[in-house]
Amino acid sequence: SAGLLPRNAPPQARSDERRQNGVIKKDSGSQEDLSFQDLASIEKERRQLLLRSELPFWRILSYYRGTSLRAVVSDSLVWTTLLIYVWIRWRANTIDYVPAAVAMMEKTNVNILGGFLSFFLVLFVNQTNDRFLEMYGFSKACSGRIQDIAGVAKTQLPYEVADRLVCHFNAAHIAGYVG
């Protein structure tokens, strides 16, 4: 298919084509399996990432590859927000007059409003975290029951029937996440 590197391309080039952020893409447009060199390259990178987890915190922050920093640096929304903020601060510091909206805000008590909203923000975040932990518990319990059923099905039912049953349970579990 178009855009794929030839089989005799260097292993690193082939493996980069099939990986995105270190994860093997399921549908890379190729019908062939990964070669041994591709798998060895992926395993080498995975082991390097694993060894980094033992480093001190400040050393971990100094890495670029294998972190979310790569996604943040290439995200246009982050840069757009930062540029808008810098432009607003620059504009506020270069004008010689006080805009009418700012003069009106001086007469209001913004501190009370900010404290009030911060209080409700803390409550909202706490409630959201509780809901997340409850749903996570339900998800892990469901996953455990699916594994229990899969173990029994694989030992008691014919292979095709057991495989199909496990696939249906996994699909139902995934459907629970997406609605």
Side-chain angles (χ1 to χ4, degrees), residues 16-32:
D16 284 345
E17 177 191 14
R18 295 182 192 179
R19 286 186 291 161
Q20 182 175 8
N21 293 333
V23 178
I24 298 173
K25 294 186 241 175
K26 290 284 185 186
D27 183 21
S28 62
S30 173
Q31 299 300 333
E32 55 193 83

Side-chain angles (χ1 to χ4, degrees), residues 2 7-9 11 30 32 60 92 110 119 127 133 139 151 169 171:
R7 186 74 179 154
N8 59 359
S30 173
E32 55 193 83
I60 293 173
V110 178
F119 175 73
Q127 180 186 10
L133 291 175
S139 173
F169 275 123

Side-chain angles (χ1 to χ4, degrees), residues 77-87:
L77 184 62
V78 170
W79 291 108
T80 303
T81 306
L82 187 63
L83 287 174
I84 290 171
Y85 173 77
V86 167
W87 180 80

Side-chain angles (χ1 to χ4, degrees), residues 65-127:
R65 188 177 174 104
T67 65
S68 60
L69 185 59
R70 181 182 287 177
V72 170
V73 167
S74 63
D75 188 7
S76 61
L77 184 62
V78 170
W79 291 108
T80 303
T81 306
L82 187 63
L83 287 174
I84 290 171
Y85 173 77
V86 167
W87 180 80
I88 289 172
R89 297 303 302 163
W90 173 80
R91 181 79 175 120
N93 288 322
T94 57
I95 58 174
D96 293 334
Y97 63 94
V98 177
V102 174
M104 189 170 65
M105 290 293 277
E106 289 176 350
K107 297 174 184 168
T108 62
N109 199 348
V110 178
N111 293 335
I112 292 174
L113 182 63
F116 186 70
L117 290 176
S118 297
F119 175 73
F120 280 109
L121 179 63
V122 168
L123 292 178
F124 174 76
V125 168
N126 189 26
Q127 180 186 10

